Amino acid sequence: MMEETKVRLYDLKVNYQKNPMGIDLHNPVFSWKIKESKGTCQDYSRVWISENEVFTKLVFDSGEKKVNSCGFTPDVFLEPGKPYYWKVLVCDDSGELGESEIAQFEGGHPEENWHGKWLALKSPSVFSGIYDGFKKCFKECPGKYLPSIWFGVKI
């Protein structure tokens, strides 16, 4: 007796990356690949995006519809800096179903919510004579540190 095969989904990506962090969330592109399917093509898919791994806080459900597994862009607003989880269900043209593992992604932090400080040497002359190479120093503005960019190799 032959074992029944099931559609297997793999290589889930958002913006062409596996489980990306810090990505642009404006029109994200979701993609996946199918293997071990009885059918020859995907009949319909269903994509879910959630704020948690158990999918009780859904932010998007595509419903069962024909979508391109090479690049599906859902009509959804996703908040920057927040983790999201997603999965996909596929039905092939033979009626066979398969559901993916859970994948995740996170958008980049928006500029207005980003807090940080520049790290700089108070005196770039500390390295004078130690490294030869390319060096670009910026004059300090009163009360502010500006970045110094150092490239070089110790000779």
Side-chain angles (χ1 to χ4, degrees):
M1 184 172 192
M2 287 184 57
E3 255 184 61
E4 224 176 285
T5 60
K6 184 177 177 182
V7 176
R8 293 193 191 222
L9 306 171
Y10 70 104
D11 206 23
L12 276 71
K13 294 181 180 180
V14 180
N15 290 356
Y16 311 103
Q17 301 172 58
K18 287 185 181 182
N19 298 321
M21 294 185 70
I23 62 169
D24 181 9
L25 293 177
H26 180 70
N27 296 321
V29 178
F30 293 78
S31 62
W32 57 91
K33 293 180 183 173
I34 302 168
K35 65 180 174 182
E36 296 182 24
S37 171
K38 285 182 185 174
T40 57
C41 64
Q42 182 175 281
D43 187 33
Y44 68 82
S45 298
R46 186 170 188 172
V47 176
W48 294 280
I49 303 172
S50 176
E51 292 181 354
N52 62 22
E53 291 178 86
V54 291
F55 289 81
T56 56
K57 292 185 176 182
L58 283 180
V59 294
F60 180 80
D61 180 351
S62 69
E64 295 174 356
K65 60 195 238 178
K66 289 187 183 280
V67 298
N68 186 345
S69 65
C70 295
F72 171 64
T73 302
D75 184 18
V76 63
F77 173 77
L78 299 167
E79 293 180 49
K82 193 174 201 176
Y84 290 98
Y85 303 88
W86 74 287
K87 63 183 178 178
V88 63
L89 172 82
V90 168
C91 180
D92 70 13
D93 59 350
S94 75
E96 191 175 62
L97 290 171
E99 188 172 313
S100 72
E101 296 288 325
I102 296 168
Q104 64 184 48
F105 65 97
E106 184 176 322
H109 294 273
E111 290 298 320
E112 63 270 9
N113 291 337
W114 180 254
H115 302 286
K117 294 182 180 180
W118 284 104
L119 299 176
L121 295 171
K122 290 188 179 191
S123 172
S125 64
V126 171
F127 289 104
S128 291
I130 297 176
Y131 291 92
D132 290 326
F134 302 102
K135 172 173 79 173
K136 175 70 177 171
C137 296
F138 298 90
K139 291 185 180 181
E140 281 185 32
C141 296
K144 292 190 177 187
Y145 289 104
L146 295 176
S148 294
I149 301 169
W150 293 69
F151 299 93
V153 177
K154 186 174 181 180
I155 298 177

